[in-house]
Amino acid sequence: ASHAFNDTPAISVSCGIRKHLQPIATPSSRHSRQAKMADAGESPAAKRARHEAIGQRALAQCRGYGKLILFGEHFVVYKVPALVGAVAAYTDCDCEFVEEPGLTVIDERPAVPHYKVKKADEAQEAIQLTLKHLNVDTSKRGVRLTFGGDLCAVSGIGASAAQVVALARAVGRALPLKMSEDEINAAGYEGEKGYHGTPSGIDNTAATFGGVLRFCRTDGAPIFEKKKLREPIRIVYASTGITASTTTVVGDVRAKKEADEAWFAGLLTKYEALLKRGEAALDGGDLQALGKCLDENHALCQELTVSCPELDALVDAARSAGAIGAKMSGTGRGGLMIALTPSAAIQDKVKDALSKLAPQVWTTFLA
């Protein structure tokens, strides 16, 4: 929500002394100055700082989180479970209704080169779909949106879902409109159609609820379960610097599936067995077994033809530097990869190795 403040008090209060009271001693000039200072209230600088803090608290309620897919990219589209972990980085949104009809979007999110340019049309469609879902008609009422936060927009991190979930929260706050988390998630799903055509729902769910989730698409509402990890898991993730179109890549996989159903069914069977072992390793805190499953999932993505030489090179470099498992994450053919690192020392070593190849590298925890 947007907040406008000024330095003029909203209420003027005057104080008087009844005439029949006895006069009191006149205070010293020093005490008079102190009294005047006290009566003046907070300084403009203090007021601005307080208002900025109020604004920050408001923006904190208008966030959508990034995500990394641990298991199941592309397979999740076909109604089998996937495991996804939200990252701490987020996109936030400020929504202001204005008199003049129309839509103004100010995008101040950090992003890899060319991401916003390549995604501009999809972003515009996603915003319009989200607003339409929330019954906001910009031809009748103007809307000014400002997107920010610390989530770097890059293929694979769920930047589009974080954007539309943050938008849904901001619009709900500005109207105001009471919305449950499920309703926020539903609005995010509608917005995701602008980016992905037929989204799986996994990204907007992670952006809304955070944490580590087991997600499964159904004919109706998706089924998801929050996982409880025994302890935080250190990971490193890195960008290829390549921005891929999720709609295009998902469409290519679908075309390959329809051209050879037996081939895809074989991969799906392998994935379902892999997921069972991977989830058991995650639940049991067995990082070595979890890392092995990540490696196997990357091999399946290679068979799906959604990896690429740049992703493969980063995965290999992470493993050579001590990662106990690594894979591409997300759409593929660019975007991100993730590496599982069992200690702070190995996390730093893997980050250093990937920094020699990747334009952007981050460290975080799954928790």
Side-chain angles (χ1 to χ4, degrees):
S2 178
H3 301 268
F5 302 101
N6 57 52
D7 291 329
T8 58
I11 301 175
S12 177
V13 179
S14 62
C15 298
I17 300 177
R18 295 184 183 184
K19 292 182 178 179
H20 66 267
L21 294 179
Q22 294 296 319
I24 59 175
T26 302
S28 68
S29 59
R30 178 173 61 85
H31 289 164
S32 294
R33 286 195 300 270
Q34 290 176 342
K36 288 179 181 178
M37 290 175 64
D39 290 344
E42 64 184 336
S43 69
K47 185 178 289 187
R48 283 194 296 271
R50 181 168 58 84
H51 290 165
E52 287 175 4
I54 293 170
Q56 289 299 319
R57 288 195 294 272
L59 279 176
Q61 298 176 33
C62 301
R63 293 176 177 176
Y65 295 95
K67 68 90 185 67
L68 293 166
I69 294 181
L70 304 178
F71 297 101
E73 43 271 282
H74 294 283
F75 294 112
V76 70
V77 174
Y78 301 98
K79 300 174 184 175
V80 295
L83 294 177
V84 58
V87 298
Y90 60 85
T91 293
D92 59 29
C93 179
D94 179 58
C95 175
E96 179 184 6
F97 289 104
V98 296
E99 291 184 6
E100 186 175 351
L103 175 64
T104 301
V105 178
I106 301 170
D107 191 346
E108 296 181 344
R109 296 174 297 164
V112 298
H114 313 302
Y115 178 94
K116 294 180 187 178
V117 174
K118 290 184 178 180
K119 299 280 190 178
D121 291 342
E122 294 177 355
Q124 188 73 11
E125 177 68 12
I127 290 169
Q128 292 287 5
L129 287 172
T130 306
L131 293 175
K132 181 179 179 181
H133 179 78
L134 297 173
N135 296 314
V136 175
D137 186 348
T138 57
S139 68
K140 298 179 180 178
R141 188 182 190 187
V143 177
R144 178 185 173 92
L145 302 173
T146 303
F147 293 99
D150 60 359
L151 179 68
C152 184
V154 55
S155 291
I157 199 64
S160 61
Q163 182 184 36
V164 292
V165 166
L167 169 59
R169 293 190 187 280
V171 171
R173 182 178 175 85
L175 281 173
L177 179 66
K178 286 188 176 181
M179 299 173 67
S180 68
E181 291 298 278
D182 287 338
E183 289 170 327
I184 293 290
N185 196 26
Y189 179 79
E190 289 301 312
E192 277 280 85
K193 292 178 181 178
Y195 277 100
H196 303 316
T198 306
S200 68
I202 191 170
D203 286 15
N204 51 275
T205 301
T208 301
F209 294 97
V212 177
L213 305 172
R214 185 184 197 271
F215 176 93
C216 189
R217 187 178 181 184
T218 71
D219 290 329
I223 299 171
F224 66 93
E225 169 194 352
K226 267 202 170 186
K227 308 293 289 184
K228 291 184 178 180
L229 304 185
R230 293 194 173 189
E231 59 184 17
I233 297 175
R234 298 176 185 272
I235 61 170
V236 180
Y237 64 103
S239 169
T240 60
I242 301 170
T243 299
S245 168
T246 301
T247 302
T248 299
V249 180
V250 170
D252 285 351
V253 172
R254 187 182 299 278
K256 289 179 178 295
K257 172 184 178 295
E258 293 173 351
D260 191 343
E261 292 284 356
W263 164 79
F264 188 83
L267 293 181
L268 189 61
T269 298
K270 289 181 182 179
Y271 169 70
E272 290 179 305
L274 166 64
L275 175 67
K276 186 175 181 180
R277 289 185 284 113
E279 186 171 10
L282 185 69
D283 292 341
D286 187 342
L287 295 187
Q288 292 293 332
L290 181 63
K292 183 178 179 181
C293 291
L294 293 176
D295 290 342
E296 290 182 39
N297 199 162
H298 184 71
L300 287 179
C301 289
Q302 290 174 314
E303 291 189 65
L304 278 176
T305 73
V306 295
S307 190
C308 64
E310 292 84 357
L311 283 168
D312 293 341
L314 292 174
V315 166
D316 289 343
R319 292 171 182 166
S320 296
I324 56 176
K327 65 181 282 289
M328 59 158 277
S329 181
T331 297
R333 297 185 187 171
L336 298 175
M337 56 74 64
I338 62 173
L340 180 62
T341 51
S343 68
I346 293 177
Q347 188 178 44
D348 289 342
K349 187 176 178 182
V350 170
K351 179 185 177 182
D352 290 343
L354 293 177
S355 296
K356 297 176 182 178
L357 300 175
Q360 295 91 18
V361 181
W362 302 267
T363 59
T364 190
F365 291 85
L366 299 178

